[in-house]
């Protein structure tokens, strides 16, 4: 029987099979193969006790994506939440997370939250920069009661048929957004309405919540941002989406796009084809990754 791991507490797994949930351990053979099941894994299980919903994991299906910390597999979409005000937008972090999403092969979506606090609409500029690159940007007011202006409906549409994980600094409104999404959902199962009641800070393990069939949100405790240090600094240009196709124009193989002459990226920058703040943040992230690389081994 095929199921989905929706929760993991030490070596116990909760596995969803249609509308039933089984508790299972993994077969010993996984340890020998040095693979541990993680939340998000599609698994083959054998039922041991139908009445008490006990099972054992027999096989882990190949993963399409894998995140090391927190351990999650088969995430298809990363929701990168940025606050317009309070706290002010952290675009350096956003660019790091975008690069990481590209590196992992997971589609990123940018959510600009708390637009109600940004009276001068400074977020419009941010929206433009990232839309020009080709990213989807959604404006939200998570605190707003359900209405057409909150952006929650649009976000929900984006989440559909994906396994979604939220990322962003503490205080940007991730919990408020997730709760608004669930509030807005007609619940069929206790599982979802439970999340509403419990609110934040009560999850002790990574968990997948089902919004509807084929749509999930990963909830991870104490997790706000991903550690991107596994990206090789020399490869960072591959993960800056608008830089990647321009690298062929660089005169030097292995061009860092920082000091070299006849650089495709710098030329595009001069022609206004690349946003200069994006370029500045590229240089900053490059230097940070390079510095970290010194201490890697
Ligand atoms: P998290 O740390 O990312 O989960 O952030 P929270 O969801 O806990 O939100 C942090 C604070 O911002 C809370 O006091 C929320 O009520 C508030 N907040 C969240 N979204 C909005 C919004 O769209 N507008 C305003 N004005 N406040 C918001
Ligand atoms: Zn270059």
């Amino acid at each position: 029987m095929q199921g989905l791991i929706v929760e993991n507490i030490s070596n116990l797994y909760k596995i969803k099979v249609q509308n039933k949930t089984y508790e299972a351990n993994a077969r010993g053979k996984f340890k020998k193969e040095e693979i541990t099941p993680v939340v998000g894994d599609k698994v083959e299980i054998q039922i041991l006790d139908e009445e008490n919903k006990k099972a054992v994991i027999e096989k882990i299906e190949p993963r399409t994506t894998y995140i090391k910390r927190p351990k999650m597999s088969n995430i298809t979409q990363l929701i990168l939440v940025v606050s317009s005000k309070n706290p002010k937008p952290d675009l350096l972090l956003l660019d790091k997370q975008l690069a990481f999403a590209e590196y992992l092969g997971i589609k990123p979506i940018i959510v600009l939250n708390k637009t109600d606090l940004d009276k001068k609409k400074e977020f419009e500029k941010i929206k433009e920069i990232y839309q020009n690159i080709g990213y989807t940007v959604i404006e939200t007011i998570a605190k707003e009661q359900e209405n057409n202006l909150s952006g929650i409906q649009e976000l929900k549409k984006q989440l559909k048929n994906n396994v979604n994980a939220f990322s962003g600094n503490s205080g940007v409104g991730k919990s408020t957004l997730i709760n608004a999404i669930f509030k807005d959902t007609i619940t069929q199962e206790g599982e979802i309405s439970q999340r509403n009641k419990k609110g934040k800070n009560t999850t002790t393990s990574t968990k997948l919540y089902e919004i509807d069939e084929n749509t999930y949100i990963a909830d991870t405790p104490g997790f706000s941002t991903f550690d991107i240090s596994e990206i090789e600094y020399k490869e960072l240009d591959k993960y800056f989406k608008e830089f990647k196709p321009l690298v062929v124009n660089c005169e030097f193989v292995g061009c860092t796009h920082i000091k070299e002459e006849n650089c495709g990226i710098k030329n595009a920058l001069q022609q206004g084809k690349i946003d200069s703040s994006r370029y500045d943040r590229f240089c900053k992230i490059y230097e940070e990754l390079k510095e970290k690389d010194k201490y890697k081994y």
Side-chain angles (χ1 to χ4, degrees), residues 81 85-87 113-117 140-144 168-177 200 224:
V81 186
K85 281 262 186 301
N86 291 334
N113 188 39
K114 304 198 191 186
T115 53
D116 57 316
L117 298 179
T140 59
I141 306 173
K143 255 177 83 170
E144 193 85 359
N169 270 334
S170 160
V172 296
K174 297 179 299 295
S175 287
T176 315
L177 277 172
K200 63 185 294 193
S224 51

Side-chain angles (χ1 to χ4, degrees), residues 112-124:
L112 271 169
N113 188 39
K114 304 198 191 186
T115 53
D116 57 316
L117 298 179
D118 185 4
K119 301 292 180 222
K120 289 190 205 149
K121 292 191 176 285
E122 284 164 330
F123 60 84
E124 296 284 7

Side-chain angles (χ1 to χ4, degrees), residues 237 246-252 254-267 279:
D237 54 10
L246 298 167
V247 173
V248 291
N249 302 331
C250 296
E251 185 181 328
F252 302 101
C255 180
T256 67
H257 325 302
I258 297 174
K259 294 196 185 94
E260 293 87 345
E261 299 282 318
N262 299 328
C263 163
I265 307 291
K266 278 161 72 179
N267 286 344
Y279 176 75

Side-chain angles (χ1 to χ4, degrees), residues 59-294:
K59 188 181 165 209
I60 305 169
E61 298 300 334
R63 294 164 176 160
T64 55
T65 63
Y66 186 72
I67 301 178
K68 280 185 195 159
R69 254 177 305 163
K71 282 198 187 81
M72 287 186 287
S73 70
N74 302 322
I75 297 286
T76 63
Q77 202 163 242
L78 284 180
I79 312 302
L80 308 178
V81 186
V82 179
S83 157
S84 312
K85 281 262 186 301
N86 291 334
K88 68 174 201 271
D90 186 345
L91 299 185
L92 183 64
L93 178 69
L94 176 63
D95 286 345
K96 283 181 186 173
Q97 309 252 306
L98 283 169
F100 195 54
E102 300 291 343
Y103 165 80
L104 294 169
I106 303 177
K107 184 182 180 190
I109 300 289
I110 300 166
V111 171
L112 271 169
N113 188 39
K114 304 198 191 186
T115 53
D116 57 316
L117 298 179
D118 185 4
K119 301 292 180 222
K120 289 190 205 149
K121 292 191 176 285
E122 284 164 330
F123 60 84
E124 296 284 7
K125 174 78 188 136
I126 299 172
K127 191 172 176 181
E128 193 189 313
I129 293 173
Y130 290 96
Q131 278 182 337
N132 283 343
I133 301 168
Y135 289 120
T136 301
V137 183
I138 300 174
E139 292 171 30
T140 59
I141 306 173
K143 255 177 83 170
E144 193 85 359
Q145 289 303 310
E146 299 163 44
N147 64 27
N148 296 334
L149 299 172
S150 69
I152 301 297
Q153 296 294 343
E154 199 187 339
L155 177 57
K156 276 186 72 177
K157 218 186 275 169
Q158 268 301 329
L159 299 182
K160 221 171 158 44
N161 298 322
N162 279 288
V163 182
N164 303 282
F166 281 64
S167 179
N169 270 334
S170 160
V172 296
K174 297 179 299 295
S175 287
T176 315
L177 277 172
I178 294 173
N179 282 331
I181 291 160
F182 281 109
K183 224 179 281 167
D184 206 34
T185 305
I186 300 150
T187 59
Q188 299 151 327
E189 288 177 65
E191 189 76 354
I192 293 167
S193 47
Q194 254 180 33
R195 194 196 185 279
N196 273 338
K197 272 190 239 126
K198 283 196 289 180
K200 63 185 294 193
N201 294 336
T202 48
T203 32
T204 53
S205 57
T206 301
K207 234 171 152 172
L208 282 183
Y209 287 94
E210 189 177 16
I211 311 180
D212 59 41
E213 208 187 337
N214 299 323
T215 308
Y216 291 87
I217 289 181
D219 202 1
T220 46
F223 146 72
S224 51
T225 59
F226 298 101
D227 176 15
I228 72 156
S229 57
E230 58 187 284
I231 298 179
E232 289 286 332
Y233 66 94
K234 286 178 190 151
E235 305 207 317
L236 183 64
D237 54 10
K238 278 195 213 160
Y239 309 121
F240 265 61
K241 195 173 160 137
E242 75 279 38
F243 288 21
K244 194 182 168 192
L246 298 167
V247 173
V248 291
N249 302 331
C250 296
E251 185 181 328
F252 302 101
V253 178
C255 180
T256 67
H257 325 302
I258 297 174
K259 294 196 185 94
E260 293 87 345
E261 299 282 318
N262 299 328
C263 163
I265 307 291
K266 278 161 72 179
N267 286 344
L269 178 69
Q270 266 153 21
Q271 291 160 17
K273 288 177 186 160
I274 282 179
D275 176 75
S276 64
S277 71
R278 265 282 277 185
Y279 176 75
D280 292 345
R281 291 189 292 274
F282 169 84
C283 295
K284 218 169 186 168
I285 298 167
Y286 182 92
E287 291 302 338
E288 264 182 43
L289 289 174
K290 193 173 170 186
E291 193 58 32
K292 273 194 187 149
D293 193 68
K294 283 189 198 162

